[in-house]
Amino acid sequence: MSTTAGQVIKCRAAVSWEAGKPLVIEEVEVAPLQAGEVRLKILYTSLCHTDVYFWEAKGQTPLFPRIFGHEAGGIVESVGEGVTHLKPGDHALPVFTGECGECPHCKSEEGNMCDLLRINTDRGVMISDNQSRFSIKGKPIYHFVGTSTFSEYTVLHAGCVAKINPAAPLDKVCILSCGICTGFGATVNVAKPKPGSSVAIFGLGAVGLAAAEGARVSGASRIIGVDLVSSRFEGAKKFGVNEFVNPKDHDKPVQEVIAEMANGGVDRAVECTDSIQAMISAFGCVHDGWGVAVLVGVPSKDDAFKTHPVNFLNERTLKGTFYGNYKPRTDLPNVVEMYMRGELELEKFITHTVSFSEINKAFDYMLKGESIRCIIRMEE
């Protein structure tokens, strides 16, 4: 048992006090665990666009002060009563969604949207008692998506913690906690392209590049990147993208452009933007008879997808996915092993590394469009 188990831990955390303002490194108190919880010592974390989106608080209910962060790698410091799949010293990845193991989704071989631990961006407290485990001088600091990894220690529901191979480098595999698995899994688990097939990837941000990596690993021969920023194509080549289309360069809908390029349409399309038009285009560019389009991006709540039923009758398939259809505790360790065997390349996603005290630089890199993933090293 850890010598700090059952005690309040004082540590550094990057606290967001208000929307859009730089994070402040503060000393926070991290409370002991309730039953079913885990306290992790975070060694490496990374910045995801989702953190930036909720930090800016432009399209949702603001909840501050808050500790953001949800992609990370760390070591289990202590476990609460009833936790059996983890012990102090285990290497683990925290995940913004979970696997309780008891609900219909967890018991299904097909679903991964756990009824108990499904992502909830509005919740800023723990499920067990509706209280925060973070405080500064008695003032509660809100959690973020059940992870809050911009803290040297954090508390999670045990179902949101995946035990992994201790030989895996945490400064690399930490990026599997969110975006990389979301895109990679959308391709390999949901689109399932066959060797030699054609795949169109809409959006070449981190998730889209991970989707392209999934197509590369699957053996696709044509990987067509679709993005409104032409400068992204060069960097996308290392992820397997070998053709590029910028919709702004054409006077016809991009789905028609791709259909002409691919002799009637691509075999698979994976949409990784928040644009409803990109979603429509992704479905429109797949081949009739066998084409499959997979939607990953989250559109505006007022957006609506409209298409004619004949598109389905012509045997095109439209699917959606959540976290790449991965169950966190069951599947994430296997993705880590793919990396360890050299089947999945993670280093090329990592463009920057900063120390914890420089965490605001990570936000600057992402806001300027300079980074895919910036690793934040907790120890100075």
Side-chain angles (χ1 to χ4, degrees):
M1 179 65 69
S2 164
T3 57
T4 51
Q7 301 177 20
V8 171
I9 290 180
K10 293 184 178 181
C11 70
R12 295 183 305 158
V15 178
S16 179
W17 289 100
E18 56 183 304
K21 296 297 177 67
L23 276 56
V24 181
I25 303 295
E26 305 274 15
E27 182 180 81
V28 300
E29 294 187 344
V30 185
L33 303 172
Q34 299 293 322
E37 295 177 353
V38 175
R39 193 157 58 183
L40 278 184
K41 180 180 182 180
I42 301 298
L43 298 184
Y44 297 93
T45 185
S46 61
L47 181 66
C48 171
H49 184 265
T50 303
D51 295 306
V52 176
Y53 177 75
F54 284 91
W55 167 74
E56 291 178 320
K58 293 178 179 178
Q60 68 287 130
T61 304
L63 188 61
F64 296 94
R66 203 170 200 181
I67 297 173
F68 288 104
H70 63 284
E71 290 188 348
I75 298 175
V76 175
E77 176 270 335
S78 58
V79 300
E81 180 183 348
V83 177
T84 58
H85 75 284
L86 294 161
K87 65 182 185 302
D90 283 344
H91 287 218
L93 301 183
V95 187
F96 65 91
T97 184
E99 185 180 348
C100 74
E102 300 297 329
C103 72
H105 281 279
C106 288
K107 290 183 176 181
S108 165
E109 293 184 1
E110 299 179 2
N112 72 330
M113 299 180 69
C114 177
D115 288 334
L116 178 65
L117 301 173
R118 191 177 305 185
I119 184 172
N120 184 333
T121 57
D122 293 328
R123 183 191 298 128
V125 294
M126 297 299 292
I127 291 176
S128 62
D129 60 1
N130 290 318
Q131 299 293 316
S132 174
R133 300 290 177 267
F134 298 108
S135 63
I136 296 178
K137 298 178 180 178
K139 177 181 174 60
I141 308 296
Y142 291 113
H143 294 248
F144 177 63
V145 296
T147 51
S148 293
T149 62
F150 293 167
S151 174
E152 292 176 316
Y153 287 86
T154 189
V155 176
L156 304 94
H157 189 288
C160 297
V161 182
K163 178 182 176 179
I164 64 166
N165 184 343
L170 292 174
D171 60 334
K172 306 295 190 301
V173 298
C174 66
I175 65 174
L176 293 173
S177 287
C178 180
I180 307 309
C181 274
T182 296
F184 187 78
T187 302
V188 300
N189 294 335
V190 187
K192 299 180 180 178
K194 297 177 180 178
S197 61
S198 57
V199 181
I201 307 293
F202 286 75
L204 295 176
V207 175
L209 293 175
E213 176 75 357
R216 183 192 69 80
V217 169
S218 299
S221 59
R222 295 186 73 182
I223 304 176
I224 303 170
V226 184
D227 202 288
L228 296 172
V229 181
S230 297
S231 59
R232 286 183 165 182
F233 180 46
E234 189 61 35
K237 289 180 180 178
K238 68 177 72 170
F239 299 89
V241 177
N242 47 32
E243 297 176 69
F244 184 79
V245 176
N246 186 332
K248 294 190 295 186
D249 294 341
H250 303 273
D251 56 5
K252 66 175 70 173
V254 69
Q255 56 264 42
E256 294 181 16
V257 175
I258 294 172
E260 291 178 3
M261 292 171 60
N263 193 28
V266 290
D267 301 309
R268 302 290 187 266
V270 184
E271 176 281 324
C272 303
T273 77
D274 55 7
S275 163
I276 195 70
Q277 186 53 55
M279 296 177 186
I280 293 169
S281 298
F283 184 49
C285 79
V286 297
H287 206 291
D288 58 3
W290 61 80
V292 177
V294 177
L295 307 185
V296 179
V298 180
S300 167
K301 59 181 175 57
D302 297 323
D303 283 334
F305 190 106
K306 184 178 180 181
T307 190
H308 197 283
V310 75
N311 286 320
F312 297 102
L313 297 174
N314 285 341
E315 300 188 353
R316 292 182 177 92
T317 300
L318 179 66
K319 294 184 174 184
T321 182
F322 172 71
Y323 191 51
N325 202 230
Y326 286 117
K327 292 179 187 289
R329 284 170 49 188
T330 300
D331 297 329
L332 201 47
N334 297 328
V335 182
V336 170
E337 292 307 316
M338 286 186 67
Y339 166 74
M340 296 296 284
R341 293 192 298 267
E343 298 167 13
L344 170 61
E345 300 171 6
L346 295 180
E347 286 82 358
K348 60 191 178 186
F349 289 94
I350 300 168
T351 51
H352 300 79
T353 300
V354 299
S355 66
F356 190 38
S357 60
E358 300 174 312
I359 190 169
N360 289 300
K361 285 186 178 180
F363 282 76
D364 292 340
Y365 292 141
M366 182 161 285
L367 290 169
K368 293 177 182 176
E370 297 176 356
S371 69
I372 300 173
R373 278 295 180 268
C374 178
I375 301 298
I376 299 156
R377 185 179 63 252
M378 302 304 284
E379 294 185 353
E380 299 294 333

